[in-house]
Amino acid sequence: MAEPRFAALATTLKLLSVGPALILILLIVVLSFSSPYFATPRNVSNILAQTAVISVVAMGQHLVILTRGIDLSVGSNLALASVLGALCFHAGGGAVAVVAVMIASGAIVGAINGGFFVFGRLPHPFIITLATLSIAKGLALELAEGRAIPGMPEAISALGQDAFAGLPGSVFVVLGVAAILCIVTRTMVWGRWIYAVGGGPIAAVRMGIPVSWVLVSTYIIAGACAGVGAVILAGRTDAGSPLFGNLLELDTIAAVIIGGASFLGGRGHLGNALIGAIMIGVIRNALNLLNVNIFFQLIVIGVVIIVAVEADVLRNYLEGRVRVFQAGKPQ
């Protein structure tokens, strides 16, 4: 009996590991039959453009969650970066300077988050990122005097609004960020350190891994990704605004969890975070096409998050059972 049970457990685990991709494919197939407008090139392009910001910022959030952390400040960070970028443009800055200001602004906020959490010995990053959420939003509102600041360099506006090779320009930004992060997390020692720190911080310290700096680096990258998101959104709207990024932190956390990452750390693939972001965009787009009440859309996203978290709980349980079988101690 042990062998069939072990095979069933192993098969279930494999299905859970590719679950996000399978669910997205199934969702796309069902929605393609439900609405004649869903699978049209124009609508697909709209979905990709609308999810570009969530996708980029979710990749940074993914790294933080891998280390058992969380960054609640990404939305306000993005808003502040967009305002600073707009102010830089009106001060005479070109496209390169504006992009540099936005990304640097995001990275600085990320460094503050990571620095206070690690070296301030705070019990959880929830505290400092909640604080910087408020501080960054307040700074953005003060600098912009509570209003949007219109105007962006043509190159940034083109990136946010124009299509290249039939795809929104923002898609290429997402792919570029994904490629860079995939390379550094999969081929560099730093990437393995992130998984090690998330999987077991105490063991990572004993192995000589610079845990403190690894943690700080993930928050810096998460902040920089928020800055990149600001570039995309400012280009799409041709403005910087202190009102950008509202609830973005919840969307990015949802994307990462839907993509199969675990709040317990050390588990998750960058590609699945992108799948989670696209899934959120697909669900919202489809519900709009089907004329579903916008309030009900929030309920649907919440239910999807609960299902994703329960899938993670089930996966942890099944992995424990598999280890028992592999140790030759079936129960």
Side-chain angles (χ1 to χ4, degrees):
M1 276 300 288
E3 286 302 322
R5 288 176 63 190
F6 176 77
L9 287 172
T11 301
T12 305
L13 273 175
K14 287 180 181 178
L15 288 174
L16 285 172
S17 66
V18 297
L22 289 177
I23 292 172
L24 179 59
I25 292 170
L26 180 62
L27 196 60
I28 290 172
V29 171
V30 171
L31 293 173
S32 296
F33 287 103
S34 301
S35 172
Y37 306 106
F38 178 77
T40 61
R42 182 176 180 179
N43 191 55
V44 171
S45 179
N46 284 338
I47 293 172
L48 293 175
Q50 290 165 3
T51 57
V53 173
I54 298 176
S55 298
V56 167
V57 183
M59 285 188 278
Q61 188 79 258
H62 171 76
L63 297 180
V64 171
I65 289 177
L66 278 180
T67 62
R68 306 188 181 192
I70 193 170
D71 188 348
L72 299 178
S73 69
V74 290
S76 297
N77 193 354
L78 182 150
L80 177 60
S82 75
V83 168
L84 290 174
L87 291 174
C88 176
F89 171 65
H90 285 286
V96 174
V98 171
V99 170
V101 165
M102 290 189 192
I103 296 176
S105 169
I108 290 170
V109 174
I112 292 171
N113 286 334
F116 270 90
F117 168 53
V118 173
F119 302 112
R121 300 186 181 278
L122 298 180
H124 197 277
F126 179 96
I127 300 169
I128 181 60
T129 59
L130 181 62
T132 50
L133 178 155
S134 180
I135 293 169
K137 179 64 73 175
L139 277 174
L141 287 165
E142 175 65 25
L143 291 172
E145 298 180 348
R147 58 181 177 79
I149 304 175
M152 278 289 149
E154 289 186 11
I156 295 177
S157 296
L159 185 67
Q161 301 172 13
D162 294 351
F164 304 92
L167 293 173
S170 54
V171 170
F172 296 97
V173 177
V174 173
L175 293 176
V177 173
I180 292 171
L181 292 181
C182 275
I183 290 172
V184 298
T185 56
R186 294 293 171 180
T187 64
M188 295 177 62
V189 174
W190 174 79
R192 293 193 290 273
W193 283 352
I194 290 177
Y195 282 90
V197 169
I202 296 175
V205 170
R206 291 173 179 171
M207 291 168 60
I209 295 174
V211 173
S212 296
W213 292 108
V214 170
L215 289 172
V216 172
S217 69
T218 60
Y219 286 92
I220 292 174
I221 292 176
C225 286
V228 175
V231 173
I232 296 173
L233 191 52
R236 243 174 67 193
T237 59
D238 195 34
S241 173
L243 302 181
F244 283 166
N246 285 339
L247 299 181
L248 179 62
E249 58 278 355
L250 301 184
D251 281 343
T252 57
I253 293 168
V256 174
I257 298 305
I258 290 171
S262 173
F263 275 125
L264 299 176
R267 181 206 307 282
H269 190 281
L270 195 69
N272 282 346
L274 288 176
I275 290 173
I278 294 172
M279 199 179 301
I280 290 175
V282 165
I283 291 171
R284 285 179 174 158
N285 178 268
L287 293 177
N288 284 330
L289 290 177
L290 298 173
N291 293 318
V292 175
N293 189 299
I294 189 170
F295 302 123
F296 186 74
Q297 294 180 27
L298 297 173
I299 297 173
V300 172
I301 297 296
V303 170
V304 171
I305 294 171
I306 292 173
V307 171
V309 171
E310 285 301 319
D312 180 52
V313 172
L314 177 60
R315 181 168 52 236
N316 287 327
Y317 170 75
L318 292 178
E319 285 180 346
R321 298 294 296 170
V322 167
R323 282 194 291 269
V324 168
F325 277 110
Q326 287 176 332
K329 301 175 182 177
Q331 296 180 350

